[in-house]
Amino acid sequence: MGILALLIFISILIIWSVFLKRNLGEASLIGFIASSLLGGKEALGLLANGFSFAATFSVLYAALAFVFMAYIIDRLGIVEKLLAILNSMVGKIPGAPAYMDAMGSVALGTLSGGDSGNTAATGSITGPWMLKNKWKKEIAASVMVGNGGMASVFPPTTSMFIILGFAPVAAAVGVGEFFIALFVASLYQLAHRLIMIWFFVKKQNIKAFSIEELEPLSSSFKRGWTSMLLYIGAIIPLAITIGPLGEKLVSIPSIGEKSLDSIDIVVWIPTLMITIAFILERKNLPKTVPEFMKFIQASIPRFTTIGALIFFAVAASEVLTKLGLSNNIAFLIETANAPAWLTLLLIGVGITIIAGPLTSTGTLTAVGLVSYQILISSGFSPLISAVVVMTFASTSAQMPPASGSIYIASGIVDAKPEKTFGMLIVLYALPVIIIGWLIGMGILPIWGG
C-alpha cells in the first residue's frame, strides 16, 4: 500500500504542476489527501497524524525562517557588504561561490547535524553570492542542495553512528576502518559535486567577477566587516551542541545531555541570524509601526507556495511511512532473488526512494539493517555493505518532494522548488546511486574494501 500511495502522490504532483500548470502547493495538498484515503477506515487518523507531524516539523519553520532571513539581509544591505568581502578574496575564480559552497559543506557537514542544517549554514552566504555571480536561481538552489547532502556521508556523522549501532555491523566492522573507508567513499561524492559545479559554470557561461567588481580586501573589509557577525548565528548553536564546549556543558549536572539534545540547530540558526541582522542594521529599520508592518508585509509573497508545498509534502511523507512504504520496498528487494550486482542496484534504488519522504537517519533506522543483511547474504563484505548503505541513504537531501534542504535552498535564492526536482534526481541522486554501486562492485576502491 505504501508504494501505491507514493506513486499516487508523485503522479498528482506531476499532473497538477506540469500538465495543469497549477500551483505545486495545491498539488501537495491534494496528494496528501489522496495518499491518506488509501488507509480506508484509518484515513482520518492518517490525515490527522500527517497534519500533526508537519505542524511540529522543525525544518518547516527553518525553511520559512530562511526565506524571511534572505529577505531581511537583502533589504538591509548586509548581503552586499558580505559578498564584497568574499569577492575580494576569491572572486577571480569562475564559479567561486559554488566551489566555496561545496568546500564549506564539507567543513560544516559534520557539525551541522544534517542535510538541512548544512544547506542552511553554508547556503545563507553562498546562495546570494551565486546570484550575484549570475547563476540561475534553480541551478544555484540545486547546487546548494547537492552540496548540503554531503552532511549525511562525511564522517563523523549521525548516520555513521546509526549504522555502527546495529549489532551485526558493530560485530563485523571496526569504528576506525569504517571511518576511513567512509571518508574515502565521501571523497568520490565530493568529486562528483565539483564536476557538477564545473559543468554548470560552463553551461551558464559563468565568468569570474571583473576587476571593476572586486574591491581590494582592505577596503571591502573595512566597509563591511560587521556583516561577518551575522555568522555568529550559526556558530553559537554549533559550538554549544558539538565539540569541547558541548562536552563540557553535558558534564554540568544542571544542564546535561538531555538539555543539549533539545537544541535544534535548524531552528536556532535562522532565528539567531535574523536577530543579529536586526541588531546590526537597526539604524536602517523602519521607524514607525505602519512602516514596519509594510516592511514585513512585503516579504509575504515569498512564503505562499513554498510554505504550503513543504507542509503538505512533509505531512504526506508521514502518511507514506505509516502505510508501510519502507517495509514494502524492503520486502520486494528481499524476495527478488536477483544476482549480486542487481541486488546491489535494487538496494540503491529502494533506499533512495525511501530517502525521499524520510531523512537519511530515518531511512537508515527504517531499512538500514535489513539492507545490510541482504547485501551480506548476497556475498558483499561487511565493510562494503555498511559503506554503500550509507552512501545510498545520503540521497535524502536531493530526493523531492519532502527534502527540507530543497525548500531551504530555494527560499534563500528565491527559486521555485519544483524546478529543481528534475535536476536533483537526474544530476545528483542517480549519480550517488551509481557511486554506491561502483563502490560495492569494487570498481571504486575504498580503504579496507
Side-chain angles (χ1 to χ4, degrees), residues 72 281 333 361 363 365 394 421 424:
I72 292 295
E281 298 297 329
I333 293 172
T361 52
T363 301
T365 301
S394 72
F421 290 179
L424 289 171

Side-chain angles (χ1 to χ4, degrees), residues 364-382:
L364 289 172
T365 301
V367 296
L369 181 56
V370 67
S371 300
Y372 172 83
Q373 291 174 326
I374 291 171
L375 291 176
I376 291 293
S377 65
S378 298
F380 295 96
S381 73

Side-chain angles (χ1 to χ4, degrees), residues 11 99 110 117 121 130 138 151 156 221 274 285 287 292 295 302 304-305 307 343 351 407:
S11 298
Y99 288 114
T110 59
M130 290 168 73
E138 283 71 31
F221 186 80
I274 290 170
L285 288 172
K287 300 299 187 292
F292 191 79
F295 177 80
R302 300 188 179 208
T304 50
T305 298
T343 297
I351 290 178
Y407 304 101

Side-chain angles (χ1 to χ4, degrees), residues 164-425:
L164 290 173
F166 295 138
V169 179
V173 179
V175 175
E177 65 173 339
F178 186 51
F179 187 102
I180 296 173
L182 187 60
F183 182 78
V184 174
S186 303
L187 292 178
Y188 292 127
Q189 289 211 40
L190 175 59
H192 161 249
R193 302 310 198 276
L194 295 177
I195 290 171
M196 290 310 307
I197 292 171
W198 174 85
F199 167 74
F200 284 129
V201 167
K202 295 296 182 183
K203 179 180 179 181
Q204 300 175 99
N205 196 28
I206 299 295
K207 304 293 184 183
F209 289 98
S210 65
I211 298 298
E212 293 75 19
E213 294 177 282
L214 302 177
E215 292 182 70
L217 181 58
S218 58
S219 175
S220 61
F221 186 80
K222 182 178 180 180
R223 183 171 62 89
W225 69 270
T226 56
S227 65
M228 300 179 69
L229 297 176
L230 183 72
Y231 229 52
I232 293 176
I235 293 172
I236 289 175
L238 294 175
I240 289 176
T241 55
I242 299 167
L245 178 58
E247 293 175 2
K248 185 170 182 62
L249 291 174
V250 167
S251 66
I252 299 174
S254 60
I255 298 177
E257 186 173 354
K258 188 174 181 179
S259 296
L260 289 188
D261 287 343
S262 67
I263 299 175
D264 190 338
I265 65 170
V266 172
V267 169
W268 279 105
I269 287 177
T271 301
L272 291 177
M273 293 180 88
I274 290 170
T275 303
I276 292 170
F278 279 136
I279 294 172
L280 291 177
E281 298 297 329
R282 58 191 179 279
K283 293 181 180 179
N284 296 326
L285 288 172
K287 300 299 187 292
T288 65
V289 173
E291 288 177 350
F292 191 79
M293 291 303 297
K294 187 176 180 181
F295 177 80
I296 298 297
Q297 287 172 0
S299 69
I300 292 176
R302 300 188 179 208
F303 296 101
T304 50
T305 298
I306 193 172
L309 177 54
I310 188 172
F311 184 90
F312 292 112
V314 169
S317 74
E318 178 67 4
V319 171
L320 296 177
T321 300
K322 295 295 184 182
L323 289 175
L325 176 63
S326 301
N327 293 334
N328 292 166
I329 292 178
F331 176 77
L332 288 177
I333 293 172
E334 197 168 9
T335 56
N337 197 26
W341 68 268
L342 183 55
T343 297
L344 180 61
L345 183 60
L346 291 174
I347 288 285
V349 173
I351 290 178
T352 299
I353 292 173
I354 294 168
L358 298 179
T359 61
S360 58
T361 52
T363 301
L364 289 172
T365 301
V367 296
L369 181 56
V370 67
S371 300
Y372 172 83
Q373 291 174 326
I374 291 171
L375 291 176
I376 291 293
S377 65
S378 298
F380 295 96
S381 73
L383 181 61
I384 287 289
S385 299
V387 168
V388 297
V389 167
M390 265 203 64
T391 300
F392 294 144
S394 72
T395 57
S396 62
Q398 299 102 52
M399 280 298 292
S403 163
S405 292
I406 296 175
Y407 304 101
I408 288 173
S410 298
I412 290 172
V413 296
D414 194 25
K416 293 184 177 180
E418 64 271 23
K419 290 190 175 181
T420 69
F421 290 179
M423 280 188 285
L424 289 171
I425 293 173

Side-chain angles (χ1 to χ4, degrees), residues 104-180:
S105 292
V106 171
L108 290 174
T110 59
L111 303 177
S112 59
D115 305 330
S116 299
N118 196 16
T119 303
T122 55
S124 58
I125 303 302
T126 58
W129 191 14
M130 290 168 73
L131 295 186
K132 187 170 184 178
N133 198 202
K134 297 181 172 57
W135 284 67
K136 294 180 179 178
K137 293 179 180 180
E138 283 71 31
I139 294 179
S142 297
V143 169
M144 291 159 60
V145 173
N147 292 340
M150 291 189 286
S152 298
V153 69
F154 262 94
T157 175
T158 306
S159 299
M160 169 184 172
F161 296 109
I162 290 177
I163 284 286
L164 290 173
F166 295 138
V169 179
V173 179
V175 175
E177 65 173 339
F178 186 51
F179 187 102
I180 296 173

Side-chain angles (χ1 to χ4, degrees), residues 73-74 76-83 227 230 276-277 280-281:
I73 64 176
D74 180 43
L76 297 181
I78 295 175
V79 167
E80 186 273 329
K81 295 176 183 177
L82 185 59
L83 298 189
S227 65
L230 183 72
I276 292 170
L280 291 177
E281 298 297 329

